[in-house]
Amino acid sequence: MTRIDRKFAALREQGRKAFVAYIMAGDPDLETSLALMKGLPAAGVDVIELGMPFTDPMADGPTIQLAGQRALEGGQTLQKTLDMVAAFRKGDDRTPIVLMGYYNPIHSRGVDRFLTDAKAAGVDGLIVVDLPPEEDDELCLPANRAGLNFIRLATPTTDARRLPKVLQNTSGFLYYVSITGITGAAAAQAAEVAPEVARIKAATDLPVIVGFGIRTPETAKAIAGVADGAVVGTAIVKLVEEKRPVAEILAFVKGLAEGAHAA
C-alpha cells in the first residue's frame, strides 16, 4: 500500500472525508513554498498536491498559470521540486504527496530516471493531466510498477462509454473535476456534483475526490459531503500571489480543512 492508500483507509475507518491542498512548487520562491508545504499537515491537509511548474499549463486558469511562471522565473526546476519533497520527508514520513502537472518535464528527464528519483524523494502519486489512458504505456504503467499511484481526472463530459477507460489502471483516488473548463473558472455546486460522483462510485471502489471551483469552508463542506473529499488549489495559490504571510495562508487552509472534515 502507498501512503495514499493508507491515508484513505484510515479516513474510512474514522468516517472522515479527505481534504487535499494544492500548491505550486517554487512559488513565490523555493524557501517560502517549502515552508508552506511543511505547514500543511498541521493545518489539516490529508494529501498534498505539489504542482510541477511548466511553461504551457493548458488545464490551469490564470492564477495557477502565473504561479508557474513565478516559480520558473525564480529558477524552479523539476530537480528542485523533487528536492522539496525530500526536504519535506525529513520531518514527515506520513503525509501523502502527489506531483501534479504535465508530461513534458518528465519526458525530458526520462521516465525511468524520473520514477526512480521521485520514489527516492518520497513521492506517492502522479497526476499528469495531458496523458490520456491511450498513452498508459508511456508513464502510467511504469509508475504503477514503481509503486506510485497514477491518479486520473474525470470531468462532467466523461460519459458512460469513456469512464471505464479513465478508470483503467487508475489507483490511489479518482480526481473529479467539478466544472467544465480551467481551474478557478467557476464555483463548484454540490447539487450538480452529487449525481456525477454517485455515477462514478457505482463503477469503482476508488475514493472520488472533487476539485476545481472550491474557495470557501462552506463549499468544501458541501462538496466533501457528496464525495470522499475536496481539493482546493486556486484559492490557496491566490494568497501566495498576494504575498500573504505563510501563517495567514495556513490559517486559511485550516478553515478549508475544517470545512471538509465537518462533512
Side-chain angles (χ1 to χ4, degrees):
M1 292 178 76
T2 65
R3 290 184 187 89
I4 296 170
D5 298 326
R6 288 195 293 271
K7 172 60 73 173
F8 280 104
L11 288 168
R12 274 194 302 272
E13 286 181 9
Q14 298 162 11
R16 289 174 50 135
K17 302 300 180 75
F19 180 67
V20 183
Y22 170 98
I23 62 169
M24 178 67 74
D27 175 39
D29 55 65
L30 185 58
E31 182 181 2
T32 304
S33 63
L34 180 56
L36 179 56
M37 184 182 182
K38 287 180 174 179
L40 291 175
V45 173
D46 297 299
V47 179
I48 296 171
E49 284 182 6
L50 186 62
M52 299 180 286
F54 177 53
T55 53
D56 188 22
M58 65 187 77
D60 294 305
T63 298
I64 292 179
Q65 284 187 24
L66 288 169
Q69 287 181 22
R70 288 192 298 270
L72 291 170
E73 288 168 1
Q76 188 72 10
T77 62
L78 182 53
Q79 182 59 53
K80 288 181 179 179
T81 300
L82 294 173
D83 291 344
M84 272 184 71
V85 177
F88 176 89
R89 283 282 173 243
K90 290 179 181 177
D92 186 320
D93 193 46
R94 300 184 66 180
T95 304
I97 297 173
V98 176
L99 294 184
M100 184 170 185
Y102 300 84
Y103 184 49
N104 289 54
I106 297 170
H107 178 71
S108 179
R109 189 180 185 88
V111 167
D112 291 343
R113 180 186 171 201
F114 168 76
L115 292 174
T116 298
D117 294 347
K119 185 72 174 175
V123 173
D124 304 293
L126 304 173
I127 300 175
V128 183
V129 299
D130 54 350
L131 272 183
E134 287 76 12
E135 304 294 338
D136 274 0
D137 289 340
E138 194 78 22
L139 179 63
C140 172
L141 295 179
N144 287 340
R145 288 194 292 269
L148 296 173
N149 292 125
F150 197 87
I151 297 149
R152 196 89 66 187
L153 276 65
T155 74
T157 60
T158 305
D159 61 18
R161 182 181 297 180
R162 183 63 176 169
L163 184 59
K165 194 74 174 176
V166 169
L167 292 171
Q168 177 182 297
N169 301 319
T170 300
S171 62
F173 60 91
L174 186 82
Y175 188 134
Y176 180 71
V177 176
S178 67
I179 58 173
T180 52
I182 53 177
T183 57
Q189 302 294 330
E192 297 174 7
V193 168
E196 292 299 300
V197 170
R199 179 172 68 90
I200 293 167
K201 289 184 74 65
T204 181
D205 292 330
L206 289 171
V208 179
I209 308 301
V210 177
F212 286 46
I214 302 171
R215 303 186 184 94
T216 66
E218 293 75 20
T219 308
K221 180 180 179 180
I223 293 296
V226 300
D228 295 303
V231 187
V232 178
T234 297
I236 298 169
V237 173
K238 187 69 178 174
L239 297 185
V240 177
E241 179 184 323
E242 293 171 359
K243 300 181 180 179
R244 304 287 187 92
V246 168
E248 184 179 331
I249 299 171
L250 291 173
F252 175 71
V253 171
K254 187 172 187 289
L256 294 167
E258 288 172 348
H261 291 150

